[in-house]
Structures are given as C-alpha cells and as structure tokens.
Amino acid sequence: MHIRHTLSSRIEAGFAALGLDGPALVQAAGRPEFGDYQANGVMAVAKKARRNPREVAAEVLEKLDLEGIAGNVEIAGPGFLNITLAPEYLSALEPAAVAGAAASQVIVADYSAPNLAKEMHVGHLRTTIIGDSVARILEAQGHQVIRQNHVGDWGTQFGMLVTYLRDSGENSDELVDLETFYRAAKTRFDDNEAFRNRSREAVVQLQTGDAGIMQMWQRFIDISMSHCQEIYDRLEVTLEPQHIMGESRYNDDLPEVIEDLRSQGLLQESDGAQCVFLDEFKTKKGDILPVIVQKSDGGYLYATTDLAAIRYRTGQLQADRILYFTDARQALHFKQIFAVAAAAGFNYSNASLEHMPFGTMLGEDGKPFKTRTGGVVKLAELLDEAEQRAVELLRANNPDLGPDEAAETGRMIGIGAIKYADLSKNRNSDYVFDWDQMISFEGNTAPYLQYAYARIQSIFRRGEIDAAALPGSAVAVEEPERRLAVTLAGFNDALDQVTQEGYPHFLCGYLYDLATRFTQFYDACPILKSDGETRTRRLVFAQQTAMTLEKGLGLLGISVVEKM
Ligand code: ARG
C-alpha cells in the first residue's frame, strides 16, 4: 500500500469537492508531535483561489474522508494538515510486501557495460551496483525489466588484442590477468612494427567479418566476459551472460542509421566526418556543437551505436522507459543521442529516455580512487579486501565465531558494506570510499542493518519463538509500537521514490530509519520480558521489522545474516 498516494488522492478529492485544484503535497511529518504525515498543499491551493488558507483547511477537513485511515487530522500553522494514522489501518497493511505498480511497463536497464579490453575496476562499480538495485526494485513492482549489458566489445584496440592472443597461444597464462595482458599487448604494439601492422590488418579483417579472426575475437570476449561474470556473482548482481548486448551486436545496423539520418536531411559533412547539427547544442559563441556519427575514414562512433541501440530497444523491445546508468561525465553524450533520436524519429515506442548519472568514487585524499602506487584498483582485489576486513571486524566482535562461519558471514558483510556505501549516498555526488566508515556497526551502514536483523533473530532464538507461527498482524497499543508500525507501513513509499527517479539512497535511508525506530521501540517496550497479548503483539512487530529489513536489503542486492 502506498500511504502517501492514498492520503494525497483523498485530500485532492477534498480540494475538488470545494472546487479547488492542486497537489496535496503529502510527506512524512518532520516531528512526531505533528502526527505521522503532513499535507502542505492547502496554502498554494488557497492562494490560487485568493482565500484564507486556514479557512480552506477547515473546509477541506470537513469534506475529507479518511475514515479507517487516519485516527486524527489537525490543522496547524498557516494551514498544514497533520495526519495521525489509525492503528487498525496500519495493522491491515501487509508488511514487507512490495505493492505492484498501477501499470506494468517494459523497462530497459542499461548498466555495468564495461569495456572488455580490461579487467573490471572500481570505475565499473557504481553503475553495476546502482543499476542492479533499481532493476531489482522495478521488477519486484511488477515491471518487465530487460537488462542490457552494453559492453564495449568493438573498436580498434581489439585488433591489437586479438593479434596478441593469436601470438601468445590461446591458453596462455597471461590471460588470467587481463590487465597484464592488455599492457603486454600494448607494449608489443608500441615497440614492434610488424605486430602493429598485423594488428591493423586484424581490425580490417574483424570489420569484414573474417571467420578466423572473428573466432579469435570471440574467444577473447568470452574470456573477458567470464572475468566479469565472476565479479557479478561475487557481488550478487543479477547480470547473466544472456543480458550481454554489446556494441558489436549493432554493427550491421550502423550503415542503416547513417542512411536514415541522411535521407531525412539530418546529416552534414564537417572535416570529412558525418555530423548532425541540432540547434539545441548551440555554444555560447553561437556555433553548434555537432554530434559526429561517422568518421572521415568511414568508422562509426560510440554515439552511432547508441542510436542503433535506441532503435532496437524501442522498435524490437517496445520499451516504455530506458534507463542508462553511467558516470555523469557522459551526460552530454546522452543528451546528444536522445536529441538526435527524437529529431530522426528513432524512438519508435515513444519511450522515456533517462540518463541516471552518478559521481566519482574518491579516495580519502579527495582524488579519484587509486591504489597506493596510483594504479587502477581492480574490483576483484577490492572485494578481497572488503571480505578480509569484515572477517576481522566480526572476529573482534565475536571471538567465539568459528573460522568457517566467520569467513562466510564476513563475505556477506564485506560485500554488503561496499554495495551499501555506494547505494546509500545520493548518486549525483562524488563520494569518498572509506573502509572504516562502511565496515562498521555504527551509522547508516550495511553491517548496522544486518546486525539489526540478526539481533531480532537472536531474540527469537532466546525466546524459542517460531517466528513463522506468529500472527501476521497486530494492532499497536503503545506509542512506540504505533510509531514503529507507521515506519513499517512506509516501505512502498520508499520504493516508489527509488523507481521514479532511480535513487536507491531513499530505500537505504528508509531502512536505516526503520532499524533506528526498532531500537527505540525495543528500548521502550521489552519483548521477551512481557507476556500474554503484549508479548505476542511485540513479537509480531519484531518479525515485521525483520521481514522488511530482509526484503529491503534483498532489493538492494544485500543478504542478511542470521547470526553475527
Ligand atoms: N562501455 C561504456 C563505458 O565504459 C558504457 C556504456 C553505457 N551504455 C550505453 N548505452 N552507452 O563508458
């Protein structure tokens, strides 16, 4: 159930009954003394009608039907409506259940998409993690999510890599480490003219689809992708081989993209290159920044492939929305291809094209995150370190933990911590990667939430409670119970905030509030020491909290642990 939505539509119906029109502007109340939710829309509506807002508020209140939903509605200040939810309403909501979207959409999620020449490094972390959690939540809401891993598997450097692979023998040890492989190939390319020439021939052969070279290329792509898949599996990201739809898959469509642009009169030659000039990309000086779609040597560009991808996704896949998760530095690229697609009529299903940009991951020195020696941080190594640090934290916290249990739990905590550190920040900003902050039981961290969940499990163990046999709902009696129930009920509002604009930090903030609210409840309302109905009721709230934490973390791609 979406509480904000329900309240808004009732209040807006109240406005309409008075011949007024405007948004109810419902939000969670800033302070408990203001109730649970507040509606701020009365003032604007009254202003528009040139009426006294408090009077309007009083009339709205009279018309307002919140029977069974609100226990109390009050007018405050210049015309705010403060709403306190009714305990019966709260107890009727199914806890931890994801509410289905009103209309199921086809949504393409374009994320991760590393360039395959190199091993996955920290630069691929944010797109992979943020994209995956938004995809999971959309799917849980009943949308048809089509994951598209638009990997960079084409381009001139592949001639070099394939030639090097051919020379070194396909099963060469060097391939175990793609980074070293890439560097070795590059060194030979720089130092050896014959190799350079053969690499260039290989590019031509690749472009003409030479079977032998294509086979070598495929072999290279397979090896590189299997490295990525290992990382996805370790990260518990839902990407699978069938989601790969790399740049090379659009090769055959590129000449047609150019032809279609040409036939519509959108192409213009500039310095030998084929370009699209659109007025909206006028610079301050008045020149138009062109979108280049074909180089003078006939080669195509990143933008050309993305135009072909829009045609495929809106034509074949019939997408309603396409979400692109990349670094903010690609903002102009997406603006350009969205504009060209619109001008050329390539958006066949009239999909909403949405770039979901994010900032850079910084080191503690405030500069882009690097190894101590200034190299790129490989994801595999970053994950190793996270797991190791989590095991240390666990063993310090709980010396009785056996080594196997510590290793397994440590894995879930370490990986969860890295993912959560990223997801919990507003993605628009850069963020500082800080081990001590993220692998900690304090603050808005994954270990804190995992611990909150484990603590509830330990209450059940101590009380020998079969949580599955508890009643599904309970009506709050005391205020801390009621406040916990209000927070539990806000789950779907938080999910909507994530999926509307692609901001997972709203769900993180919600889960952190929930865990904090649970602690307040638990401090004020003992569970195992109470008895009878009170005990059962509080156990139900504990169980609902655990279920919501588990579900919410699961939607972020993070596992809970039973014991820690
Ligand atoms: N391979 C690109 C990169 O590493 C990201 C691709 C994003 N998706 C897209 N459709 N352009 O920067």
Side-chain angles (χ1 to χ4, degrees), residues 110 113-115 150 152 302 306 324 326 330 333-334:
D110 178 325
N115 292 330
H150 192 89
Y302 185 50
D306 258 324
Y324 298 84
T326 81
Q330 296 197 29
H333 164 75
F334 286 108

Side-chain angles (χ1 to χ4, degrees), residues 316-336:
Q316 307 282 109
L317 302 180
Q318 288 287 307
D320 296 304
R321 283 176 87 184
I322 308 180
L323 315 181
Y324 298 84
F325 296 87
T326 81
D327 195 295
R329 282 171 292 194
Q330 296 197 29
L332 177 63
H333 164 75
F334 286 108
K335 235 191 221 157
Q336 290 182 321

